[in-house]
Amino acid sequence: MEQSLTMALFALTMSISPGPVNLVTLSAGLNHGVRSAMGFVSGATIGFSLLLFLIGIGLSAITERFGWAIDTLTFLGAGLIVYFGYKLLTSSGGIERGEHPKPNFWQGAALQWLNPKAWGACIAAAGLFELDQSRPTLYFFVCLYCFICFFGIGSWALFGSQVERFLSTPKRHQLFNQALGSVLIILAVLLLYQQFGMNGR
């Protein structure tokens, strides 16, 4: 029981804390509504859960032997984050939902797989809960995480849809999108710096 609670708190903390996936979800909720954002939310949830499962059965050992794989993922992930940020920065001030690009299921899944922080969270969970030692524990945690992750990420879509009420003019809407876009691009730069700059590469 105690371990289950710890697992739930870990999953909730990692799922609901700010990051590229949640900021993109926020913009999707704002620009397209909660229902339309669910495709991206589902993709991000399933993508992370699958990554967690594969690392739990030993994928992390492969990445340790091929360090260049993580470096490649970092570049691709930063590129995808910059893409979302650029789209928000250059979006018009219109408040019609059809005027903004809508993130989809596959982009949500890809963003998780291309995010070294998602890999780090999965590896940390695998070590913390010794997921490679017990398949039942691994299956339970992946299912628990998938459930919590969906609602954790989805809450950002709900928050975005509520923020829309305060953005009653095209100018306010555009400024909010530009702020989100700028933050995403900054996060991409920080991601690259953490992966390469801090490691002296």
Side-chain angles (χ1 to χ4, degrees):
M1 182 65 181
E2 182 178 344
Q3 186 182 43
S4 297
L5 179 59
T6 303
M7 287 178 168
L9 290 174
F10 179 92
L12 179 62
T13 301
M14 297 303 296
S15 300
I16 208 168
S17 57
V21 171
N22 287 337
L23 290 181
V24 173
T25 304
L26 173 64
S27 71
L30 167 67
N31 295 308
H32 302 284
V34 175
R35 180 173 295 181
S36 293
M38 285 301 103
F40 180 84
V41 172
S42 298
T45 300
I46 293 174
F48 187 94
S49 299
L50 179 59
L51 180 62
L52 176 62
F53 173 75
L54 292 176
I55 286 179
I57 62 175
L59 183 62
S60 59
I62 297 176
T63 61
E64 288 175 4
R65 293 185 58 188
F66 301 98
W68 57 267
I70 294 296
D71 292 344
T72 302
L73 289 172
T74 300
F75 276 115
L76 293 175
L80 186 56
I81 295 169
V82 168
Y83 166 79
F84 284 124
Y86 173 77
K87 287 294 185 181
L88 287 170
L89 274 174
T90 58
S91 65
S92 68
I95 56 178
E96 293 297 323
R97 286 175 173 168
E99 296 182 15
H100 302 271
K102 181 173 68 173
N104 58 42
F105 176 93
W106 296 110
Q107 289 173 328
L111 189 53
Q112 292 285 33
W113 273 73
L114 298 176
N115 185 358
K117 288 189 175 181
W119 284 75
C122 290
I123 292 172
L128 179 64
F129 301 114
E130 299 181 336
L131 300 180
D132 60 334
Q133 302 298 317
S134 170
R135 287 299 171 87
T137 300
L138 172 62
Y139 299 151
F140 172 78
F141 185 58
V142 169
C143 291
L144 177 67
Y145 204 114
C146 186
F147 177 80
I148 294 176
C149 185
F150 181 82
F151 287 100
I153 298 175
S155 66
W156 284 80
L158 180 62
F159 177 60
S161 68
Q162 297 304 307
V163 168
E164 182 187 23
R165 295 185 299 176
F166 302 98
L167 306 176
S168 55
T169 67
K171 186 62 177 177
R172 290 180 182 178
H173 204 96
Q174 184 180 38
L175 288 174
F176 192 82
N177 276 328
Q178 288 175 341
L180 280 177
S182 299
V183 171
L184 281 172
I185 292 174
I186 291 171
L187 283 175
V189 173
L190 290 175
L191 186 66
L192 290 173
Y193 174 73
Q194 288 176 349
Q195 186 67 16
F196 299 101
M198 294 181 67
N199 294 331
R201 288 185 281 174

